[in-house]
Amino acid sequence: MTELLQQVRVIDPVSEIDGLFDVLIADGYIQAVTSHICDISSDTQIRDCQGLVLGTGLVDLYSHSGEPGFEERETLLSLLQAAAAGGFTRVNILPDTSPAIDNPALVAQLQQKREGQGGNFSPPSPLSSPLPLLHLWGAITLDVAGKQMTELADLASAGVVGFTDGKPLENLALVRGVLEYLQPLGKPVAFWPSDRQLTANGVIREGSDALRFGLPPIPASAETTAIAALLELVATIGTPVHIMRVSTARSVELIALAKAAGLPITASTTWMHLLLDTKAVKSYNTSLHLDPPLGNLPDVAALRAGVRAGVIDAIAIDHTPYSYEEKVQAFAEAPAGAIGLELALPLLWQYLVETGEFTALELWRALSSSPAECLGQKVSAIVPDQPAEVTLFDPQQTWKVERKSLYTLSQNTPWLGQQLKGHVVQIWC
């Protein structure tokens, strides 16, 4: 099919373009991007795209899948459908499934399932879009238990995108060994720095709101001391590292200093940590129980400034589905995490771009080209002769977040039942 998108707003962080263009897409490639395209074939489908945004495909650095092991929370199919509905063309799954993604056989099995060779992916993806590309993080330790290193070289050969447990690794001798072993493999490695002894049984960031709501606190030092230790190892060994789930102002400072000193690090925060602070926990909605917890107001301000400045390279979704029964508990007892693949772009656009705090390019870069770069990948620019890996977004379309409007199987989000502005029209990938 040949499609002409007329007068669409092109946001391309690769080429640093934000402007109105006609875009011609044919046979999966961008054919032309100019102010006006008049010479087209008779079978070209013409779409009036005034008011719509066409951006490079969104890339989610890390999210959780229920499958294998917890298919009642999320299947690979429902996750990919949700990602497509949220504008993502690439999704990277954390290895904490059951069984964990810690051996080449499971990597091959999941890759075959995505390709339709080992399972049923015949149901159409949302909006007649293709399903996003699925990549798998390989576990650093067996069963993501933090004790015994996996066969990292075998997993690398099997095609994992990189290595992480997605959980804190507190054995620094093990972390050092991993950094030394991974150096020649050339695969990204991501760590979530968190001192679980300092975290203890806390569920909210330490501060006045923690006292007001009567919830056990987590000090910022639970994150910052772990980051400082990791940075020392990186400075000693030199293996590039990605720091996941940055959530405090002091962490942003430490990362900025490390980057200024030339350490080979990248970093990400999650979309909810950019939008909400501890005051939101007043509702005791268990979908606001996150790990790391939401920050105080200065943390949110520092994270936003860090993303804009490039100190925080990328915004991750960290989509974490749970069943209704798992989340209907006391706040402190409910498992930590919330869904987000279908919600992140509309909410970030509404509260960061439309308010003028972020430019459209700044937000799109943090959701698209920058997360790809953290993985050693690239996204295609929206220029002629490049593959069409793009997202068409309507920032003005309104919709209600409810079961029938979500592709994900789980509903653990604080925005359930609310009206949102901004909806993805289609992806190409």
Side-chain angles (χ1 to χ4, degrees), residues 198-351:
L198 287 172
T199 298
N201 65 337
V203 294
I204 187 174
R205 178 66 66 219
E206 187 176 65
S208 58
D209 288 327
L211 290 171
R212 189 176 300 116
F213 304 149
L215 293 169
I218 300 175
S221 56
E223 178 171 292
T224 56
T225 55
I227 287 179
L230 178 61
L231 292 175
E232 283 297 310
L233 291 177
V234 173
T236 301
I237 300 168
T239 303
V241 158
H242 180 79
I243 300 174
M244 306 168 65
R245 302 186 178 118
V246 177
S247 69
T248 74
R250 177 59 180 156
S251 299
V252 177
E253 292 179 11
L254 291 172
I255 292 166
L257 290 171
K259 285 190 169 186
L263 265 63
I265 58 170
T266 56
S268 60
T269 188
T270 83
W271 71 288
M272 286 183 67
H273 286 87
L274 290 174
L275 292 179
L276 301 173
D277 60 71
T278 51
K279 286 181 171 51
V281 180
K282 181 180 180 180
S283 67
Y284 295 97
N285 186 323
T286 56
S287 293
L288 294 169
H289 178 191
L290 306 178
D291 195 4
L294 294 171
N296 295 304
L297 271 174
D299 297 316
V300 176
L303 290 170
R304 291 182 178 184
V307 171
R308 292 195 64 198
V311 174
I312 304 299
D313 300 84
I315 301 171
I317 307 307
D318 207 7
H319 175 85
T320 309
Y322 282 106
S323 66
Y324 174 81
E325 292 76 16
E326 289 173 300
K327 276 291 193 179
V328 182
Q329 301 186 53
F331 188 90
E333 302 301 322
I339 61 171
L341 286 168
E342 296 169 77
L343 308 173
L345 176 59
L347 284 162
L348 289 168
W349 185 278
Q350 182 175 343
Y351 288 103

Side-chain angles (χ1 to χ4, degrees), residues 17 30 69 107 193 205 257 280 311 338 371 377 420 426:
I17 291 173
I30 306 292
V107 172
R205 178 66 66 219
L257 290 171
V311 174
Q377 302 174 354
L420 299 190
Q426 185 178 345

Side-chain angles (χ1 to χ4, degrees), residues 65-298:
S65 172
E67 186 180 0
F70 300 97
E71 284 81 0
E72 69 279 4
R73 297 174 182 168
E74 193 79 279
T75 65
L76 283 176
L77 175 59
S78 66
L79 181 142
L80 291 171
Q81 288 179 324
F88 291 89
T89 58
R90 303 183 200 178
V91 181
N92 298 275
I93 298 302
L94 290 168
D96 59 343
T97 50
S98 183
I101 305 173
D102 61 4
N103 64 86
L106 184 56
V107 172
Q109 178 184 334
L110 293 176
Q111 287 172 337
Q112 287 175 354
K113 179 146 191 161
R114 167 60 183 88
E115 294 164 4
Q117 298 170 4
N120 182 14
F121 273 84
S122 58
S125 58
L127 312 169
S128 299
S129 296
L131 290 171
L133 300 173
L134 176 68
H135 298 288
L136 307 172
W137 285 96
I140 292 174
T141 65
L142 291 175
D143 202 30
V144 295
K147 296 180 180 179
Q148 183 179 349
M149 203 185 303
T150 58
E151 296 292 341
L152 300 173
D154 290 347
L155 283 169
S157 298
V160 297
V161 71
F163 297 96
T164 186
D165 272 7
K167 298 180 178 181
L169 274 178
E170 296 193 79
N171 183 338
L172 290 179
L174 176 63
V175 173
R176 180 186 172 94
V178 168
L179 293 180
E180 291 174 336
Y181 193 91
L182 283 178
Q183 207 163 36
L185 295 183
K187 289 278 186 178
V189 58
F191 293 100
W192 172 22
S194 179
D195 187 314
R196 299 323 256 181
Q197 288 184 317
L198 287 172
T199 298
N201 65 337
V203 294
I204 187 174
R205 178 66 66 219
E206 187 176 65
S208 58
D209 288 327
L211 290 171
R212 189 176 300 116
F213 304 149
L215 293 169
I218 300 175
S221 56
E223 178 171 292
T224 56
T225 55
I227 287 179
L230 178 61
L231 292 175
E232 283 297 310
L233 291 177
V234 173
T236 301
I237 300 168
T239 303
V241 158
H242 180 79
I243 300 174
M244 306 168 65
R245 302 186 178 118
V246 177
S247 69
T248 74
R250 177 59 180 156
S251 299
V252 177
E253 292 179 11
L254 291 172
I255 292 166
L257 290 171
K259 285 190 169 186
L263 265 63
I265 58 170
T266 56
S268 60
T269 188
T270 83
W271 71 288
M272 286 183 67
H273 286 87
L274 290 174
L275 292 179
L276 301 173
D277 60 71
T278 51
K279 286 181 171 51
V281 180
K282 181 180 180 180
S283 67
Y284 295 97
N285 186 323
T286 56
S287 293
L288 294 169
H289 178 191
L290 306 178
D291 195 4
L294 294 171
N296 295 304
L297 271 174

